[in-house]
Amino acid sequence: MLEALFLLYFLVLLATLVFKSRIVTGPWLFLLRAFFPNWKFFHATGNVPHLYARWALSHTGPSDAVQWSDWNPIFPRRPRRVLHLFHNADTNLALVQQNLVEHLAADLNHMAADADARALVSYQLVSRLVCQSLLAQQPGCAHGQFEVRMLLDGTSGLIEEDTMMRSPVLPCR
């Protein structure tokens, strides 16, 4: 019986590789996508969306020029430890946040050219995520701004970098 189940399993896998299925879309599926991870990395390699942000302190001087920081990645690589094999909540949270950035990039790709990205739910969630991250790193942060950059990494380092979108200045309070 166990052999028959294994054979059936591999036949189903083979059938999914050979026969193309219809892509299921719709507004009801859009609401449920937060429960499912983005599995596009199994499909093909390519540009990966990364989130970069910069911040500015509230200025009280005579000059109205705002001093911006350099662009910094929001999700830097996490250190690895042996304990993470058993409990790794921080990295799991970072994966969920990266999944949100990938959903924003997908929404931006499917958006009309004259549409406003600020109306997207994924944009609003990412902007809140950026403000929370900036306030955690710089408690005096008054303004923030983020970019979604498409990066293509190779074996020798960064091959290509393209800015997909830059947000307007966000109040981080």
Side-chain angles (χ1 to χ4, degrees):
M1 179 69 176
L2 187 60
E3 293 85 10
L5 287 176
F6 275 123
L7 180 63
L8 179 66
Y9 172 73
F10 286 112
L11 287 175
V12 169
L13 282 179
L14 181 65
T16 60
L17 290 174
V18 172
F19 300 110
K20 296 291 180 187
S21 62
R22 185 175 63 90
I23 296 176
V24 180
T25 60
W28 57 271
L29 187 63
F30 179 79
L31 297 174
L32 295 175
R33 75 179 186 171
F35 295 106
F36 301 104
N38 191 349
W39 294 99
K40 287 186 179 180
F41 60 88
F42 286 124
H43 176 64
T45 59
N47 294 346
V48 178
H50 288 265
L51 190 61
Y52 284 80
R54 65 180 183 170
W55 54 271
L57 297 175
S58 59
H59 58 281
T60 57
S63 172
D64 286 337
V66 176
Q67 295 292 329
W68 288 98
S69 68
D70 292 332
W71 290 100
N72 296 311
I74 292 291
F75 308 119
R77 185 170 288 285
R78 309 280 183 172
R80 294 183 182 180
R81 295 186 175 83
V82 175
L83 181 62
H84 289 167
L85 290 172
F86 306 104
H87 181 71
N88 199 357
D90 291 336
T91 303
N92 289 340
L93 177 62
L95 288 173
V96 169
Q97 292 167 341
Q98 179 62 33
N99 191 20
L100 178 62
V101 173
E102 290 175 5
H103 281 300
L104 174 61
D107 289 346
L108 290 172
N109 278 332
H110 296 301
M111 197 171 67
D114 59 342
D116 187 12
R118 291 177 288 183
L120 297 171
V121 173
S122 57
Y123 175 87
Q124 295 170 10
L125 290 171
V126 168
S127 64
R128 287 183 184 176
L129 175 68
V130 167
C131 286
Q132 287 176 353
S133 176
L134 290 177
L135 284 173
Q137 294 173 7
Q138 298 294 329
C141 174
H143 305 289
Q145 192 174 21
F146 70 91
E147 283 184 346
V148 176
R149 296 183 188 173
M150 300 302 285
L151 303 179
L152 180 61
D153 289 328
T155 56
S156 62
L158 184 65
I159 295 174
E160 182 181 339
E161 180 176 3
D162 184 35
T163 300
M164 185 176 205
M165 79 149 280
R166 180 179 288 178
S167 74
V169 176
L170 305 169
C172 289
R173 292 277 169 190

